[in-house]
Amino acid sequence: MLLPLSRAISPSLDWRERCASTNSELVARAELLPDLAVVATADQTAGRGRLGRVWSAPPGSALAVSLLVRHDGAPDPRRLGWLPLMAGVALARTARSLGVEGVGLKWPNDVLVDAAGGPARKLSGILTELATEGVVVGAGLNLSMTADELPVPTATSLALQGVPVDAGLVDRALAAALHELLSVVAQWRAVTDPAELRAVIEPELRTLGRAVRVDRPGLAPLLGTAESLDDDGRLRVRSLAEGEGIVAVAAGDVTHLRYE
Ligand code: ATP
């Protein structure tokens, strides 16, 4: 595929006609690849979500794009928590720039779109993974998927949101995603004050102010109200359990976050 818009943004783009997992490609080859290396495909055959979940899409109907964010030395784990959230902002902006309305983020890693008379639907998912030399930031974005093709009833696609599907859609979507991802990664690298990152993310976040149920492995479900993000990007939940107060939840510790 020629992809002129995308290659103008990321000249070394490694486009695959088919790929098991764009994240796995970058994780496996991180040592050899330069900073901001990109692998992308519209036919990902073994896409992954968090905690071993499956991310699936019929061939050609969705974009998978992964970016290698290299670091020198050990990364500060407190800063790493912000990266998936910033990637979510990038994909929300991508969807908006392609014409989708009613886009927002569900902490920590879902890009949702409002649905009339029902729960919001997932248009894009983010998966960040540690590699030896950095972090791999991956995103799946549903493009031309029809209602019959949705892998789960809670999904949606650009096409189902009224974005015209034509031969240039893959390139337009990939170029927009790369532009937005590179911009948030640059910001994430430059900013040291968590308040500044919070100011970028919170306006996109639907989760704040909501009644939530958080499932964590080996613990009782946490019921409460999502209040804010702490300095590490964790979700601060005011628990309904007596005496528990505020509980800070890290993305890696959550199996499910549900709105009550
Ligand atoms: P959940 O979406 O159930 O709240 P999660 O956000 O932690 O959980 P992820 O690991 O990000 O989930 O993504 C995997 C889940 O996304 C799958 O379990 C499935 O429910 C859903 N899914 C899989 N493929 C797609 C897709 N193409 N579009 C939208 N949702 C998908």
Side-chain angles (χ1 to χ4, degrees):
M1 212 178 267
L2 288 174
L3 304 167
L5 302 174
S6 305
R7 291 191 195 283
I9 293 170
S10 186
S12 62
L13 164 67
D14 180 358
W15 174 260
R16 305 289 179 85
E17 288 309 318
R18 178 172 295 157
C19 177
S21 154
T22 55
N23 261 34
S24 298
E25 284 292 323
L26 284 184
V27 170
R29 297 190 300 125
E31 260 174 80
L32 307 169
L33 291 172
D35 187 36
L36 304 179
V38 175
V39 176
T41 187
D43 186 2
Q44 184 173 243
T45 55
R48 292 177 287 109
R50 294 185 319 125
L51 307 164
R53 295 197 189 108
V54 171
W55 182 268
S56 63
S61 73
L63 180 68
V65 51
S66 299
L67 176 71
L68 175 64
V69 180
R70 285 185 74 108
H71 48 63
D72 297 325
D76 176 355
R78 297 190 58 183
R79 283 180 51 69
L80 283 179
W82 290 102
L83 201 46
L85 305 178
M86 293 295 275
V89 169
L91 267 293
R93 289 176 178 166
T94 301
R96 216 170 277 131
S97 78
L98 293 165
V100 181
E101 290 172 14
V103 183
L105 297 180
K106 179 179 158 197
W107 186 93
N109 66 333
D110 290 346
V111 180
L112 305 180
V113 183
D114 291 331
R121 288 167 169 246
K122 185 144 90 175
L123 176 68
S124 168
I126 309 293
L127 182 67
T128 50
E129 295 182 284
L130 284 177
T132 42
E133 308 294 321
V135 184
V136 173
V137 178
L141 174 65
N142 298 330
L143 302 180
S144 61
M145 214 177 264
T146 62
D148 290 344
E149 289 175 331
L150 295 178
V152 287
T154 49
T156 188
S157 66
L158 293 180
L160 290 169
Q161 295 302 317
V163 175
V165 174
D166 57 35
L169 179 61
V170 171
D171 191 25
R172 283 202 308 283
L174 179 55
L178 288 171
H179 172 73
E180 300 295 351
L181 281 167
L182 291 171
S183 150
V184 296
V185 166
Q187 193 170 19
W188 174 77
R189 282 179 158 159
V191 170
T192 50
D193 180 0
E196 260 185 74
L197 297 173
R198 213 180 275 125
V200 175
I201 293 158
E202 285 192 350
E204 302 277 6
L205 206 54
R206 297 279 178 73
T207 309
L208 301 184
R210 305 283 293 256
V212 295
R213 172 196 160 111
V214 183
D215 293 331
R216 300 162 295 172
L219 294 171
L222 168 65
L223 297 175
T225 305
E227 288 207 335
S228 58
L229 298 177
D230 75 4
D231 284 354
D232 303 342
R234 294 179 302 179
L235 189 65
R236 294 173 72 253
V237 177
R238 182 169 297 281
S239 171
L240 287 177
E242 216 176 292
E244 205 170 20
I246 298 275
V247 181
V249 187
D253 301 331
V254 176
T255 54
H256 272 119
L257 176 87
R258 294 268 178 260
Y259 299 141
E260 293 294 295

